[in-house]
Amino acid sequence: MSKILVFGHKNPDTDTITSAIVHAYLKQQLGVDAEAVRLGEINGETQFALDKFGFEAPRLVEKVSTETQQVMLVDHNEFQQSADDIRDVTILEVIDHHRIANFETADPLYFRVEPVGCTATILNKLFKEHNIDIPANIAGLMVSAIVSDTLLFKSPTCTEQDVAAAKELAKVAGIDVNEYGLAMLKAGADLSAKKTEDLLTLDAKEFTFGNYKAIVAQVNAVDVNDVLVRQSEVETLGQALIEKEQLGLYFFVITDILNNDSVAIALGEASEAAATAFQTTLKDNRVVLPGIVSRKKQIVPALTEGLQ
Amino acid sequence: MSKILVFGHKNPDTDTITSAIVHAYLKQQLGVDAEAVRLGEINGETQFALDKFGFEAPRLVEKVSTETQQVMLVDHNEFQQSADDIRDVTILEVIDHHRIANFETADPLYFRVEPVGCTATILNKLFKEHNIDIPANIAGLMVSAIVSDTLLFKSPTCTEQDVAAAKELAKVAGIDVNEYGLAMLKAGADLSAKKTEDLLTLDAKEFTFGNYKAIVAQVNAVDVNDVLVRQSEVETLGQALIEKEQLGLYFFVITDILNNDSVAIALGEASEAAATAFQTTLKDNRVVLPGIVSRKKQIVPALTEGLQ
């Protein structure tokens, strides 16, 4: 069998990067020539986790079909979030925890999606199903992914399975999950050194809501005002993106990781409808989102429903 | 939690009916109020299996959203093969072994698709993962599904996992898989009492190939000539269906279950292109398909590729 590339979504986050590494490791143990790669830049939080457990970032690829005909996806399934040439290769496996949309294959495949908080929680099951031991450094990456996706178990996406997996894996990794987790989240939430244009693409995903093409971006912050002071710059750059990408909505979510609330800057034709989707109104292009931290479980379903 | 309906595809076959019963049973053991239902008539093969293991056919439903807001799908995922009002309910789980297409949800769900020959083979894993024992009569249904979908292990869709699961389950059921399996297949292949119009819908699935809406129907026969003598009637009824459903292709496959070959009657605008998809030509509206028995693994991929 030729080399199989394993990768997560564009604008990679910690779950996407570590799950690519972890799943490629599992496959290698099963005799498959798998290599983890990435579709975008490593963020500060992910770099903190890679450094802590002694991993290099996976290799950056632009296109996958020039290298292989066979791929495995982790942490995403929607084609617009994947490699640009994803339709030109055969998808052998998908391990994910998101809604399913804009995905299609000609042949049957292994497609494992579960409604849990993190891909790593599913990968933990796969190791058990195949009777493969998890080394300490791989377990550390998996804990990092769970902490990141669940905001240290505080996100509504977090399930009992995620908490149990994180505790079990933290033991294997030899770390205190709360202490390590908070340090990792803070490393990711330190945006002071970032240019505003980088914040816009740090964790941005494209969706289709009704007739609108939309981008929902999210950044974590210890204090949302650290980001809100940059609002006019976000607006200028967001408007440019709307014109370039023909977007109906640009939705930039700033999440307070200590208080578990968010504020969004909403731009584009559908911005007022987006506020209405959360039973509120747009003020100064802002949508206040009390208690909302999860793009997947709270923001995308509300926009899917509201912009139909 | 309110009642959850569990069902397979329209024009149900043995795997779809039995997997609905089996998955509902598994869920009941896990404390879920699940009921197996069906979206169409029971065929002769499936009735043979239900009778053998002492089950009633699941209740026929026309719509699901009038009864429940929550459903689980087995043996299919493409919406056009599901309940007409599938978009009006929440899909909690999908257990399937087909390609993924025309499927979309607003929220994450449990979606377990594996490239094996039969849904029952995946269900067998789920029982193990949940530490639930399989009773003899449930095991008998699962063997029936595997025999049906793999044509007694002769279909190219059959994997080692299917063979192993069938052998293991046959022991639990206390049956000889080859003897029972052949009797069941023959019961299904006895089409003499069927009207031709019933043959057309017995196991028909709708697909989209390129710009063409298509129906691919399949019947099993001990002798394909028993069905080919009805060709002119199939043509008349098929043409009527093409007009009514605006089809680009009606592809009626007759599979010889003893010799593992097929002949298809191809009708519609794309019929010649369909023959070309199998590197052959249309003669007397027939496409000869030596060695081809699997709609999923052989016919649908060839048509998907050929009619792009």
Side-chain angles (χ1 to χ4, degrees), chain A residues 44-87:
Chain A
E45 181 194 279
T46 307
Q47 192 62 54
F48 183 91
L50 293 172
D51 290 346
K52 168 81 179 179
F53 298 104
F55 285 89
E56 294 287 320
R59 184 165 59 89
L60 177 69
V61 297
E62 296 280 326
K63 290 203 163 192
V64 292
S65 63
T66 48
E67 297 198 26
T68 183
Q69 277 309 301
Q70 300 187 309
V71 304
M72 297 181 180
L73 309 185
V74 293
D75 196 33
H76 75 298
N77 67 83
E78 301 192 39
F79 281 176
Q80 78 278 9
Q81 297 169 2
S82 197
D84 290 336
D85 57 347
I86 190 69
R87 289 176 189 276

Side-chain angles (χ1 to χ4, degrees), chain B residues 154-156 255 259-263 288-294 298:
Chain B
K154 288 186 198 136
S155 167
T255 297
N259 296 309
N260 303 303
D261 291 318
S262 298
V263 177
V288 177
L289 302 166
I292 289 185
V293 298
S294 167
Q298 297 171 310

Side-chain angles (χ1 to χ4, degrees), chain A residues 9 13-16 19 45 75 97-98 116-120 143-158 162 184-185 203 293-294 296:
Chain A
H9 53 74
D13 59 10
T14 300
D15 188 24
T16 255
S19 288
E45 181 194 279
D75 196 33
H97 65 121
H98 293 89
V116 291
C118 181
T119 307
V143 174
S144 305
I146 298 172
V147 166
S148 172
D149 268 15
T150 66
L151 285 179
L152 243 179
F153 316 129
K154 287 184 200 138
S155 167
T157 59
C158 187
D162 298 297
M184 186 196 79
L185 288 178
D203 180 10
V293 297
S294 168
K296 182 173 71 173

Side-chain angles (χ1 to χ4, degrees), chain A residues 92 97-116 125 129 208 296-297 300-301 304, chain B residues 92 97-116 125 129 208 296-297 300-301 304:
Chain A
L92 296 179
H97 65 121
H98 293 89
R99 72 165 190 170
I100 296 165
N102 304 319
F103 182 89
E104 186 172 307
T105 56
D107 289 298
L109 74 165
Y110 186 92
F111 196 99
R112 179 88 169 249
V113 171
E114 301 193 21
V116 291
K125 294 186 189 185
E129 290 168 20
T208 303
K296 182 173 71 173
K297 195 104 174 180
V300 168
T304 301
Chain B
L92 296 179
H97 65 122
H98 293 88
R99 72 165 192 171
I100 296 165
N102 304 317
F103 183 90
E104 185 170 307
T105 56
D107 289 298
L109 73 164
Y110 185 92
F111 195 100
R112 179 87 169 250
V113 170
E114 301 194 20
V116 292
K125 293 187 189 185
E129 289 168 20
T208 303
K296 182 172 74 171
K297 195 103 173 181
V300 167
T304 301

